[in-house]
Amino acid sequence: QVQLVESGGASVQAGGSLRLSCASSRYTYRSYCMAWFRQAPGKEREGVASIDTDGRSTYADSVKGRFTISKDNAKNILYLQMNSLKPEDTAMYYCAAAYHFGYCPLLSSLFGYWGQGTQVTVSS
């Protein structure tokens, strides 16, 4: 059973920054499409950012210019650097992985492996 473990969620004020991490010891991120999704109470899960096996990233319009996704293939850690946080960024953030090469779309149906989530709360 592949496990993804997120960390780094916290409560911050608007304008602040956080860095989320997602670690796994069971497989290499070099062969996987990796992504961050989020889900706020009463809302559907939405894709935030993805990074493909060649290191190319895709972002939701709502986070472009504020969030940066990256990964350390040697350590099998995925990151999400979140700057200029807004109250509407408040959500549970999930790390996801898919054994998939090429373009990595923000479609939850593509991803077969999910973490347990880490809570991000942004107050105004």
Side-chain angles (χ1 to χ4, degrees):
Q1 182 75 19
V2 174
Q3 289 187 329
L4 301 172
V5 181
E6 302 99 331
S7 60
S11 295
V12 297
Q13 290 192 330
S17 298
L18 282 174
R19 189 176 77 160
L20 306 183
S21 300
C22 173
S24 173
S25 61
R26 295 296 302 270
Y27 58 95
T28 175
Y29 284 4
R30 188 172 288 109
S31 302
Y32 282 77
C33 164
M34 304 295 300
W36 289 97
F37 287 78
R38 67 186 181 186
Q39 187 167 20
K43 294 187 177 181
E44 293 187 355
R45 184 174 295 183
E46 63 171 344
V48 175
S50 67
I51 186 165
D52 70 16
T53 53
D54 292 322
R56 293 168 297 197
S57 54
T58 299
Y59 296 93
D61 288 343
S62 58
V63 305
K64 282 181 181 177
R66 299 189 298 122
F67 291 11
T68 302
I69 189 171
S70 61
K71 61 178 179 173
D72 186 328
N73 286 331
K75 296 181 178 179
N76 286 342
I77 301 178
L78 178 73
Y79 300 102
L80 184 67
Q81 178 66 44
M82 304 186 295
N83 298 328
S84 302
L85 282 162
K86 304 176 181 180
E88 50 264 43
D89 294 319
T90 295
M92 185 72 79
Y93 283 71
Y94 298 90
C95 169
Y99 188 69
H100 176 82
F101 293 87
Y103 172 62
C104 185
L106 289 170
L107 296 174
S108 59
S109 57
L110 176 67
F111 296 86
Y113 303 105
W114 295 83
Q116 82 290 348
T118 186
Q119 179 67 38
V120 172
T121 302
V122 184
S123 58
S124 58

